[in-house]
Amino acid sequence: MAQDTWYRVDNVAKVFLASVNDRDPRTFRMTCTLKEEIDEETLKKAVNLSVGERPQYQVTILRGFFWHYMEHTDAEPVVEEEHDRICANLIDESSFGKLHYRVTYYHNRINLEVSHAIADGNGALEFLNLIVEKYLKIKHPDELGNLSMSTGTSEADLSQDSFRQFYSKKKRKGKKQERKKAYHIKGMKHPYNQTQFLEVHMPVKDVLSKAKEMNVTLTTYVGTSLMMAIYKDMPLLSRTKPITLSMPVNLRNYYPSNTARNFFNSVFVSHIFKNDDTFESVAEKFQEDLKKELTPEAVAERMYDYEKLERLLFIRMVPLFIKNPVVNAFNRRSVRRVTAVLSNLGKLPIPPEVSDYVESYNAFCSTSSLFVVISSYKDELVMGISSAYRNTQVLRDFLKSFSDNGIETTVYSTELIE
């Protein structure tokens, strides 16, 4: 096998591949809503053109003896009208040559679903924008024929395993603080491994205004709102446990990388509530803790933790069928220390020529618990909420906290089979 036809999977992908299951297939969705109905044939052409510029998505994941690996495949991308469940499983090791992304549409929406084993949200967003650019150029050649959203990044840089590239053997200063087992939302989960998806729209200026009143960031304001909603539903006997939010961080903001593959790690903010806690006091501590977690030194230390998996000799030398349960056990241990996930993609920068044709963006991620993705586009803040729980009280309290503060909130929800 020639070296340029296959890739090693990165260490984040190794964890995802060991922990894929029907409840959480480790899939995420990026959606772009246009101001016009989608034409399927034009979308197929746009996807095929985009794949030509991003061949690292044209891979299938295969089992090696020690690790999984990715190999190029000539399989045709899936482009069809949406009919399946959101964030379905895109990893199927019994099917050689299968792609691990798909593109669907519904009325004026283009959906890109990607297995987290081949890319992260920021990499996939760039791929989705490329598809949207190609689509609009085909549909509107007179207005957009000369438009180019190309970053000029080489295929080698786009395919780079940046964890390996920027790994340093510099170890942590002092003893690593162990995170405690976190509180988990109580109640049964949806039947048939279903997930409830909610799309929430709010004026971004109103949310920013509330955050500025408290001298905190938008992420802190939303994160504190989520913590307070979880605490409100927390049984009295459980209130000695911390509520811990895991928040993915785009490492491209810290290292000179343009990879389209995974390049992120997570920071954690925990709080054990006291009787005299207020929204303001919790937000202040949240902001302080988050600031400490986002220093370049702290980020570099977590890079060491991620890449350490590859460097441990006893992990490297055992076969995959033994290794996967071990890696999955470590992952389950980490999951026990997280209550929910909050991911902020930030403000989405889109060229003005394209933005005239784009209505909104949104993102969802599969989950076995609670996952909130926030992003802003133009004047709108959008939250993509995924919940595995039948208990909707936390979500009701979370969304009510915004409307109670005078923020207009519009909510769309998927239907479930009971």
Side-chain angles (χ1 to χ4, degrees):
M1 182 187 303
Q3 177 68 33
D4 61 358
T5 66
W6 68 280
Y7 306 105
R8 298 173 184 267
V9 297
D10 58 69
N11 281 321
V12 171
K14 290 170 185 173
V15 176
F16 289 150
L17 289 167
S19 58
V20 164
N21 57 67
D22 291 335
R23 169 67 69 183
D24 182 3
R26 303 291 190 166
T27 303
F28 61 90
R29 165 184 287 212
M30 312 294 295
T31 293
C32 179
T33 303
L34 302 183
K35 296 179 180 179
E36 59 189 67
E37 292 282 310
I38 304 301
D39 176 70
E40 182 174 309
E41 290 305 312
T42 302
L43 183 56
K44 286 180 178 179
K45 292 176 184 177
V47 171
N48 285 326
L49 287 171
S50 300
V51 166
E53 296 183 22
R54 297 293 181 271
Q56 64 274 16
Y57 284 93
Q58 284 296 117
V59 295
T60 186
I61 296 174
L62 304 172
R63 291 177 66 97
F65 186 74
F66 291 109
W67 291 111
H68 291 89
Y69 64 95
M70 296 186 292
E71 185 178 67
H72 277 293
T73 175
D74 294 327
E76 284 289 320
V78 174
V79 180
E80 59 188 357
E81 188 171 13
E82 183 174 17
H83 65 276
D84 200 357
R85 63 195 296 177
I86 295 174
C87 294
N89 196 344
L90 297 175
I91 297 290
D92 181 6
E93 293 184 339
S94 66
S95 178
F96 180 84
K98 180 180 178 181
L99 292 170
H100 306 296
Y101 74 93
R102 66 179 182 179
V103 178
T104 63
Y105 68 94
Y106 184 73
H107 290 301
N108 58 337
R109 287 192 168 203
I110 299 174
N111 310 305
L112 171 66
E113 293 196 348
V114 181
S115 166
H116 229 319
I118 66 169
D120 61 19
N122 288 278
L125 178 61
E126 192 272 341
F127 186 40
L128 173 62
N129 280 335
L130 187 62
I131 293 170
V132 171
E133 175 212 343
K134 302 296 185 188
Y135 179 87
L136 291 173
K137 285 178 71 172
I138 296 171
K139 289 288 288 183
H140 305 279
D142 293 337
E143 298 88 346
L144 300 174
N146 296 322
L147 174 68
S148 175
M149 293 170 63
S150 174
T151 61
T153 306
S154 69
E155 182 182 340
D157 287 341
L158 289 165
S159 302
Q160 181 188 76
D161 181 348
S162 291
F163 289 106
R164 179 179 294 270
Q165 177 69 22
F166 297 105
Y167 168 74
S168 171
K169 292 184 179 180
K170 188 182 297 183
K171 293 189 178 181
R172 183 185 303 273
K173 296 178 181 178
K175 187 177 180 180
K176 179 181 178 181
Q177 186 175 1
E178 189 70 19
R179 287 185 292 113
K180 296 180 180 179
K181 184 177 179 181
Y183 170 72
H184 283 201
I185 297 170
K186 303 300 181 184
M188 297 178 64
K189 295 187 176 180
H190 291 297
Y192 313 115
N193 294 317
Q194 295 178 102
T195 302
Q196 180 80 62
F197 294 98
L198 289 84
E199 183 176 314
V200 183
H201 294 251
M202 296 180 286
V204 68
K205 62 180 178 60
D206 292 349
V207 183
L208 280 172
S209 176
K210 290 297 179 182
K212 287 178 180 178
E213 283 179 17
M214 303 177 63
N215 198 31
V216 298
T217 65
L218 185 146
T219 301
T220 292
Y221 182 79
V222 175
T224 303
S225 300
L226 182 57
M227 274 191 171
M228 297 294 288
I230 294 170
Y231 175 69
K232 190 174 181 179
D233 187 59
M234 204 173 182
L236 287 174
L237 292 177
S238 298
R239 292 188 173 183
T240 57
K241 294 180 180 178
I243 294 175
T244 302
L245 298 188
S246 171
M247 290 176 284
V249 174
N250 180 12
L251 292 177
R252 299 168 186 82
N253 295 330
Y254 294 85
Y255 297 91
S257 170
N258 290 310
T259 184
R261 296 170 63 185
N262 286 305
F263 196 43
F264 76 97
N265 61 24
S266 296
V267 301
F268 303 91
V269 175
S270 294
H271 188 73
I272 299 176
F273 278 78
K274 305 177 184 67
N275 290 333
D276 60 349
D277 270 331
T278 63
F279 191 102
E280 289 75 13
S281 66
V282 175
E284 183 179 359
K285 182 177 181 298
F286 193 110
Q287 180 92 340
E288 290 175 359
D289 292 347
L290 183 58
K291 188 175 180 180
K292 292 175 185 176
E293 287 282 293
L294 292 176
T295 63
E297 294 79 14
V299 169
E301 287 176 351
R302 281 188 298 275
M303 277 279 288
Y304 175 81
D305 290 341
Y306 267 78
E307 190 66 14
K308 188 168 59 177
L309 177 68
E310 173 76 11
R311 310 288 163 166
L312 294 175
L313 185 62
F314 78 93
I315 290 287
R316 291 171 59 190
M317 298 307 294
V318 298
L320 189 61
F321 72 91
I322 298 175
K323 189 177 304 180
N324 267 353
V326 174
V327 174
N328 194 26
F330 278 106
N331 179 66
R332 288 198 304 271
R333 184 169 177 267
S334 178
V335 167
R336 288 197 292 268
R337 288 161 171 74
V338 173
T339 306
V341 182
L342 175 65
S343 177
N344 187 0
L345 293 174
K347 186 177 181 180
L348 306 183
I350 310 299
E353 299 90 345
V354 173
S355 67
D356 291 341
Y357 298 86
V358 174
E359 186 71 38
S360 65
Y361 281 85
N362 188 32
F364 293 115
C365 193
S366 65
T367 184
S368 59
S369 56
L370 179 62
F371 202 120
V372 180
V373 183
I374 57 179
S375 61
S376 61
Y377 174 71
K378 292 185 177 178
D379 301 325
E380 199 168 48
L381 180 76
V382 181
M383 294 194 298
I385 303 175
S386 314
S387 175
Y389 300 106
R390 301 185 76 167
N391 176 7
T392 60
Q393 189 60 51
V394 170
L395 296 181
R396 289 202 298 268
D397 289 338
F398 177 47
L399 298 178
K400 187 173 182 292
S401 69
F402 295 101
S403 56
D404 284 351
N405 278 296
I407 299 172
E408 183 180 351
T409 306
T410 305
V411 182
Y412 305 92
S413 177
T414 56
E415 295 183 359
L416 296 175
I417 301 172
E418 295 297 331

